[in-house]
Amino acid sequence: MIVAILMTSLWSSSGTFDSSDTINRYRVARQLVTEGQIIVSSYGDAESFPMFKDKDTPYSSPYIAVWGPGQSLFFLPFVAVSHLAVKDIPTDPRQKERFLIFLVSVSVFFVSLALNFWLCMKLALILNMQPLIAYMLAVVANFGTIYWSMLKEGQEEVQLSIFVIAALCSFLNWKKFGDNKYICFSAISVASALLFRLTALPFLLGILGLYGAEIFYGSKSQLSQAKSLRSVFLAFGVSIFCVLITIGSYNIFKTGNILRSGNPLSEFSGDWLIGIFEPILGLSRGVVWTNLWILPCLAITIYAWKYLTRNLKQSLLFTLFLFTSSILIYCKYNDWAGGSSYGSRFQVHLLPLIAVTLGAATVLFFREHFPTMLRVTKYRLATLIASVLLLLQIPAISLHMNLEIFQSYRLANGVSKTPRIENVNHVQMRYANFFSKLINDKVVNISDIDLSHLAGNDWERATRWNYLPWLSEGRLSLTAVLWLRGLWVIIVIASIWSWLWVFNKLPI
């Protein structure tokens, strides 16, 4: 399974972080490793972002420093190891920097995917799924959702998914085994999520709600209740205190104010009705249209509610609370979709959790009402799921996230400001671009597109396949590029073979 995840990471990665936000967070880690310091260029104010600057990088300086410390801390070990690997390479600094970010991005991609896949399988097994079903649910959760696309961007939603599933698994294990170490795991997980984004506060509230309900309404004695409450308060209190100290110190360093992260509040003045409807059902980026399995599985889950186990009901209510909270938190945000991402970015961290919980509920429904349908050969099941994933998510990862945004300049009559997100049919354009590129080796032609507002190299990259062999064109010889494409095909075949090998080893 590790080989399968590694091979899939290698062929589907672009060898860099697609998002400039992630690049900036990476630069913080890079400065700490290579320069031993971070230099503040500007504290910012109510209308502008705080800025960092560096002195030894091919990147331009300064850069935005609005984000929390979480992802930069996550990148630190990857940057440290990769820096040791490239520091003695005899080449110019710009080429060395490309190699460094290649090693960091691919390593982060692989480790994040492996952790999330393992946790999805673990959660499914805790919810009483058979190993084969748990495996298939983990496949859907990671490759049948736009989580896979977000992995290529490297955004922090990837790590947030890991934290939220780890916290829920720890809670369910605590229920089963009663060991207080699981309370500590839950507390550390949700507290760590706050380092990445303070809007992850619902993680904390939701997990505390689960523990509180279980302690007060579970079958525990008064003595056990008091002991459990003390353990919960201690674990969560210490974890949150340490995190708040870290966040406050980072805020003071970059903005001069312990309470200010640097994000201008003027950005939260959008239409809340649009911010609620569009991320869910909007035809441009709605989560329902980028993950087509959600609606049928949700309908089956509601119908089958009375057949579900208590653990699964708790997990589903927890998931619903987090999703609703995420929608409400960002409904006033002008950029509710989260920039140039494929789909609505601010719900991506919950999609693996949604896939496992709704998938488990759907399986239990079929066990109860149509047991013979689950006896279909596992090969047919694998073929069906693989086909659905190909139709749903391969287009999402195949082209650069900025492509449709660039094309939208033409729809906005060439003005420099990107048109409103809800006016760009993001999903339809992505599929049209994918099939046009596949058939004609060109993206959809929007005549007379004005490139004066775009960086030429950005537009060129966006129109290529977003895989390493195609992105290396112009930097390597034609022969080397052809060999690299051949190696890429071999890696794709190896990844498919590895997934099928694991699939064959699992009991039905």
Side-chain angles (χ1 to χ4, degrees), residues 77-108:
F78 298 97
V79 175
V81 173
S82 299
H83 175 66
L84 290 175
V86 305
K87 71 175 184 178
D88 294 326
I89 294 178
T91 185
D92 67 271
R94 187 170 291 276
Q95 295 294 348
K96 188 178 292 187
E97 182 65 23
R98 284 198 183 103
F99 193 37
L100 174 63
I101 200 169
F102 166 79
L103 291 176
V104 173
S105 64
V106 172
S107 300
V108 168

Side-chain angles (χ1 to χ4, degrees), residues 154-291:
Q155 293 282 22
E156 56 196 359
E157 279 74 15
V158 174
Q159 287 83 41
L160 292 178
S161 173
I162 293 170
F163 290 129
V164 72
I165 298 176
L168 180 58
C169 286
S170 297
F171 165 73
L172 295 174
N173 277 329
W174 171 78
K175 282 182 62 180
K176 181 177 180 180
F177 300 109
D179 193 331
N180 286 340
K181 71 180 180 183
Y182 294 113
I183 299 177
C184 295
F185 292 156
S186 289
I188 292 171
S189 296
V190 295
S192 297
L194 294 175
L195 287 172
F196 288 71
R197 185 183 293 167
L198 283 176
T199 52
L201 181 63
F203 290 13
L204 172 64
L205 300 178
I207 287 294
L208 281 175
L210 289 176
Y211 276 104
E214 191 62 26
I215 290 170
F216 285 109
Y217 301 109
S219 54
K220 296 179 180 293
S221 65
Q222 291 296 321
L223 182 62
S224 178
Q225 282 185 343
K227 182 180 178 182
S228 296
L229 275 177
R230 281 196 301 270
S231 299
V232 169
F233 279 121
L234 181 62
F236 280 83
V238 171
S239 299
I240 294 169
F241 176 78
C242 293
V243 164
L244 291 179
I245 289 294
T246 304
I247 294 172
S249 301
Y250 195 58
N251 285 346
I252 290 176
F253 176 75
K254 66 180 180 177
T255 68
N257 186 331
I258 192 172
L259 298 178
R260 192 168 72 88
S261 66
N263 202 9
L265 295 179
S266 59
E267 294 191 4
F268 288 85
S269 56
D271 187 323
W272 63 272
L273 283 176
I274 291 175
I276 290 175
F277 176 81
E278 290 291 340
I280 303 173
L281 291 168
L283 294 177
S284 60
R285 297 196 185 188
V287 68
V288 166
W289 311 118
T290 52
N291 307 272

